[in-house]
Structures are given as structure tokens and as C-alpha cells.
Amino acid sequence: METRILQPNPENIRLCAQRIKSGGVVAFPTETVYGLGASAFEPRAVREIFRIKGRPNDNPLIVHVSSLEQIREVADLVSPLALKLISAFMPGALTLVMKRKSCVPDCVTAGLDTVGVRMPSNEACRKFLAECGVPVAAPSANTSTRPSPTCAEHVYDDLRGKIPYVLDGGECEIGLESTILDVSGVAPKLLRAGGISIEELERVCGLKIQTASSTGKALCPGMKYKHYSPKAEVYFSAYYGNMFGGINAHYDLLVSSGKNPVILCLDKNASLYGARKVYRMGADYGDYARMLFASLRRADSQNYDSVIAEGVPSEGIGAAIINRLVKSSGGKII
Ligand code: TXA
Ligand code: MG
């Protein structure tokens, strides 16, 4: 199959939506990462997503919607707390896990009695979802275990020949996936850190949100799998006063054992690494998040075999950055 990258003009948006409505699979942009979508009500198309990605089928998909009415189509109980969160953060980078309606096929939810629902804010995505007219089940549009795609070319690199269209919305504004909050139980639980910070959620909910570290419990089903991995070995630094010294020492050790490493650092820190190879990750942690997955892919394409990521503080978007770095490094903290 030929894979075409399409600009998001009205004609192409219609073409992609038509494909979804007739039971096909299409990649589309969101403000977080690109998604690989199919109609949530077409089990055959949904199963095709799992096949194309090589995704384990016990890992449920998020359902993408364009309106509150569509949320009510798939979620059984939209609680007052859920409504509060919807009005504060949707459209945006929040996924809410709620009790599902029986019309949602088992292959979407991996047999769970809940469904994850998200309403993206990206302009092209909103037009595309509105044109689809059905909720769209979609995981990130990467091959399983690879870093999530933050531009159309990443999707093309992973899925060329396997899907007909990639709707090109340019570079994703956030660059890390949505925050996943389970509101199906008595107390809201954070299942995955992401584009909306836990501090913002707590401000709106008016209460402390349980996290995996506070409950010691497993996160969402997908988080147990190997994730976000480039070919290069990833290491990341804890965040502390003189992490630069530690990073330099680790870099030099890798070089002396014949490796070819690159350091991911904020622009303002680049000079602290002397002549060592660095990728500048922008002015702040929002930039760092936006460029993270792209930098992991870039390291592979430029034949670096090791990546050392600077540590970040755990507040705000930092929590999501740390989560993705723990995953992609397999926990190799220096
Ligand atoms: O930003 C995002 O969320 C992106 C864009 C495309 O929307 N999507 C995304 O999908 O990251 P994916 O499939 O790569 O990650 C979805 C995560 C998985 O870890 C899955 O286990 C979890 O969401 N999930 C989905 N439905 C769930 C449910 N009902 N209960 C608990 N976890 C759920
Ligand atoms: Mg994913």
C-alpha cells in the first residue's frame, strides 16, 4: 500500500474521514502526539490498528471525540467531577477513564469495564474528528516500543506501506501524550503523567490526586510494556545541583569504552558540557518535552549509540518528562 502524507485542507480532511467511516485506518495529528485512528464502532478496523502497530491486545485504546455528546455516547456515567474536568481541560491533553457503555467494543477497552476518552484541541484534528462523525479509537501512531511520533515524517518512518494516509498537522505543540486520569472510582487516580500537570488537575478538583507512588499500584495497562525506545541506549540524570559533573563523567566513560554519546540539555546549560556533543532542547521544560521524542529518533538517525538526558524537576510537565525517560532508559538513572 502506498502511504501518502496529506496537508490538512478541507478536501484531504474529508478524504481521511471518509476512510475512517468506511472501516479504514488513518494517522492524524493531535497537540500531544500523532494518533493511528479507526472508528471505535468498527471492531475489524480497531483490530487492524493492533496488527499494524504490533500492539499487545490487552492494552486498551483511547477514544477520541469532538463533543460532549460523543463523550456521552461511549461513557456511561459522566460524574459531576468528570464534568468539571471536561469543562476545565477539554479540548486538551487530558484523557478521562470512565465507566463505559456496552456499545463500545471489547477490543477497544481490552475487555475493561471502563473507557478512556479524550477531546484533542489541535485544529486539524478537531476538523477531522467532526468530519468523521464517530468516536475514533487511536493509540499513538508509532510502531510498538518506538518513541511516539511528533510529526508526520515520524509516522511515515514507522508505518510506511501499512496505512493509506497521514494527515499532516506539522509538529505537535506538546510532544508528550495526554495525562490519563481515572475518574471511574470514588477518588480520581492518575494513571499516566502527561500534557496537563497534576498540579493543574488538583487545583480544579480541589483535592489531592492519588498517583502510583502514593498507592504503590500499577498504572494504566500500557505502562507495563517497553516503551519510547530508540535504538540508542538512553540514560538520564537525576535532577540535582551538580548533575553536570555527573553527566560529563558518564559521557567520558562511555567514550572511553568506544561509545558515541549525545547529551540532551537546555540551551542555557550547553556550555557546561564543553566540547561534548549536545542536542539543545530549548529554553524551558515545555520545549524539552516537545522535542524529547524527536530527539530520540534524531539520535538514531545520526548514529549516536547512547543518549544522556539532563534531569528535570518533577513539577509541572517535568513529571511527564521523567516518566517517559524512565521508560525509554529502562530505568538507567545516573
Ligand atoms: O495523547 C495521547 O493520549 C495520544 C494521542 C494519540 O491521543 N494517545 C496515546 O495512546 O498515547 P496510547 O495508546 O499510546 O496510550 C494510551 C494509554 C495506554 O497506556 C493504555 O493502557 C491506557 O492509555 N488506557 C486506555 N484506555 C484505558 C482504560 N480504560 N483504563 C486504563 N488505561 C487505559
Ligand atoms: Mg503509545
Side-chain angles (χ1 to χ4, degrees), residues 6-57:
L6 301 177
Q7 289 309 303
N9 57 40
E11 190 190 333
N12 287 339
I13 286 174
R14 222 172 301 124
L15 192 64
C16 289
Q18 201 50 52
R19 197 76 179 208
I20 296 283
K21 288 192 274 193
S22 60
V25 173
V26 167
F28 60 95
T30 82
E31 68 280 17
T32 58
V33 301
Y34 276 68
L36 183 63
S39 164
F41 297 141
E42 297 276 357
R44 254 156 73 118
V46 171
R47 282 194 289 269
E48 188 62 7
I49 292 178
F50 284 86
R51 193 189 63 74
I52 291 170
K53 272 189 65 113
R55 179 179 176 104
N57 46 27

Side-chain angles (χ1 to χ4, degrees), residues 32 55 59-60 62 64 114 118 139-140 177-178 180 192 220-222:
T32 58
R55 179 179 176 104
N59 190 4
I62 293 171
H64 296 70
T114 54
R118 150 160 152 74
S140 50
E177 297 84 348
S178 62
I180 305 182
R192 179 176 74 184
C220 50

Side-chain angles (χ1 to χ4, degrees), residues 173-175 266 281 283-291 317 321:
E173 301 100 290
I174 296 177
L266 287 184
M281 304 291 283
D284 57 28
Y285 297 116
D287 289 341
Y288 193 128
R290 185 167 48 74
M291 290 193 254
I317 191 74
I321 296 176

Side-chain angles (χ1 to χ4, degrees), residues 297-331:
R297 285 175 179 263
R298 181 177 161 209
D300 281 348
S301 69
Q302 298 188 328
N303 296 316
Y304 289 106
D305 55 23
S306 317
V307 172
I308 309 174
E310 256 183 8
V312 305
S314 62
E315 303 95 63
I317 191 74
I321 296 176
I322 292 171
N323 171 277
R324 303 310 186 268
L325 284 172
V326 168
K327 285 280 168 187
S328 57
S329 67

Side-chain angles (χ1 to χ4, degrees), residues 153-165:
E153 290 71 26
H154 296 163
V155 180
Y156 189 80
D157 288 344
D158 279 16
L159 303 180
R160 178 181 28 208
K162 297 182 174 166
I163 56 173
Y165 307 129

